[in-house]
Amino acid sequence: MSTKTAEQELTHGVEVFSKYKNLLFELTRKNVKLKYRNSWLGIFWSFLQPLLNMTVLSVVFAGIFGRHSEYIVCYPVFLFTGRLLYDFFNTSTKQAMTSFRRNAAIIKKVYVPKYMYPLSSIFSTFVTFAISLLCLIVVWIFFKVTGVSGGHDLEITWRALLCIVPMLLILVFSTGVGLILSVMAVYFRDIEYIWDVLTRLLMYMVPILYPLQRIETRWIIIVIKINPLYSMIELFRQCVLYGFPMSWKLLAYAAGVSFLTLAIGMFIFDRKSDDLIYHL
């Protein structure tokens, strides 16, 4: 009986999603347009912003972490690859967290499956993230051609095409976290400020600015490796920076945590979605 009910709920959920998939596409497109609506440079900021971040951080930290390091091929590209995935996770989860507050007026008047709002926020950020990969290609070519910061050591292989795997994993993970945060933010408004502080700390608890090999304290290394973002960033770097085969241990861990987080997010959202409107 319970199995039949679960199957019916799953079938109904798929039918509802199929019915509103065009709306999800339109909401995603609207979010992308609104992000740069009053900007002179428009979507060009998707290229310029990560480039400026990389430049500033490279100038500040290259002398500390990037000089005479056998674990970093080209520090600016190393930094860029890590910061690109972190920025997507940071921005997408924050956008999903505030999606109900930003769309409260529409939610109260028109029936739409409520998960459309956090999903559209995450997917629109993923579109910007995908566009930023073009900037990564330009940066990679620049340092390879000029040889600046050890750029001559950069090598490209067919494994770079596998970068889509960690990209999809961080999308799944961010969706799960975003669904959880979107519900929590309705009941506890302070979660927005708490999450802002946590994500700032998270940037320094993941090897974005430094290689993991520079850490000598064992318990700190364990804490970093437990963080699923470490696995996803390392998998991404193995594909596009080092040309190594992806580590199956990192891949299995990242995939397991990502889909588990998504399942938890869907479960919490399903339990609380009907009550959200009374707290907006």
Side-chain angles (χ1 to χ4, degrees):
M1 184 68 179
S2 60
T3 304
K4 184 177 180 181
T5 302
E7 291 177 355
Q8 291 175 342
E9 290 180 354
L10 179 60
T11 302
H12 177 69
V14 172
E15 291 175 351
V16 172
F17 183 83
S18 300
K19 181 180 178 181
Y20 288 95
K21 63 182 180 181
N22 291 332
L23 175 62
L24 177 60
F25 174 79
E26 291 299 326
L27 288 173
T28 300
R29 187 170 67 173
K30 184 199 75 170
N31 289 338
V32 174
K33 289 182 177 181
L34 287 178
K35 183 175 182 179
Y36 304 107
R37 180 175 56 182
N38 296 320
S39 171
W40 288 359
L41 295 178
I43 203 167
F44 184 68
W45 278 110
S46 298
F47 299 89
L48 190 58
Q49 185 176 6
L51 186 61
L52 291 175
N53 286 334
M54 181 204 70
T55 303
V56 172
L57 292 175
S58 294
V59 170
V60 174
F61 292 103
I64 303 175
F65 301 116
R67 185 175 298 173
H68 306 301
S69 177
E70 60 180 306
Y71 306 109
I72 297 178
V73 176
C74 177
Y75 186 74
V77 180
F78 173 89
L79 178 63
F80 196 101
T81 52
R83 185 62 193 252
L84 205 60
L85 269 70
Y86 165 80
D87 283 346
F88 165 70
F89 174 79
N90 181 35
T91 304
S92 62
T93 53
K94 287 182 178 179
Q95 289 294 313
M97 180 172 54
T98 59
S99 59
F100 290 129
R101 178 169 52 80
R102 288 185 281 109
N103 296 281
I106 301 176
I107 294 173
K108 293 178 181 178
K109 295 178 180 178
V110 182
Y111 171 76
V112 173
K114 297 180 182 61
Y115 57 75
M116 290 291 174
Y117 297 103
L119 281 185
S120 63
S121 298
I122 294 169
F123 289 169
S124 62
T125 308
F126 189 77
V127 171
T128 306
F129 168 52
I131 295 173
S132 299
L133 290 179
L134 297 176
C135 184
L136 173 61
I137 294 174
V138 173
V139 168
W140 192 97
I141 294 174
F142 170 80
F143 283 101
K144 177 64 176 179
V145 172
T146 62
V148 176
S149 298
H152 286 318
D153 294 330
L154 291 170
E155 297 292 340
I156 191 69
T157 69
W158 65 268
R159 293 189 179 93
L161 299 175
L162 297 177
C163 69
I164 189 65
V165 175
M167 288 173 60
L168 291 177
L169 287 178
I170 199 169
L171 174 62
V172 172
F173 181 64
S174 299
T175 301
V177 175
L179 289 175
I180 297 171
L181 291 174
S182 65
V183 173
M184 294 179 63
V186 172
Y187 294 94
F188 311 103
R189 298 300 173 92
D190 290 345
I191 195 66
E192 295 181 26
Y193 307 105
I194 296 173
W195 186 246
D196 184 61
V197 173
L198 289 177
T199 51
R200 290 177 187 273
L201 293 175
L202 185 63
M203 178 179 173
Y204 300 99
M205 289 302 295
V206 180
I208 296 174
L209 303 173
Y210 55 88
L212 181 65
Q213 291 81 0
R214 292 290 296 269
I215 305 298
E216 299 180 353
T217 307
R218 182 170 177 78
W219 70 268
I220 295 180
I221 295 176
I222 294 174
V223 170
I224 292 175
K225 287 186 174 181
I226 289 175
N227 188 335
L229 281 183
Y230 161 75
S231 300
M232 297 169 196
I233 291 175
E234 187 63 23
L235 288 169
F236 188 78
R237 282 173 172 159
Q238 287 175 357
C239 295
V240 304
L241 187 59
Y242 303 120
F244 295 161
M246 285 192 295
S247 168
W248 288 105
K249 290 182 179 180
L250 291 179
L251 182 60
Y253 179 72
V257 173
S258 297
F259 285 100
L260 177 61
T261 304
L262 178 61
I264 294 173
M266 293 173 63
F267 175 78
I268 294 175
F269 196 91
D270 182 63
R271 287 295 184 94
K272 295 295 183 179
S273 59
D274 292 338
D275 299 330
L276 294 178
I277 193 171
Y278 302 112
H279 298 272
L280 290 174

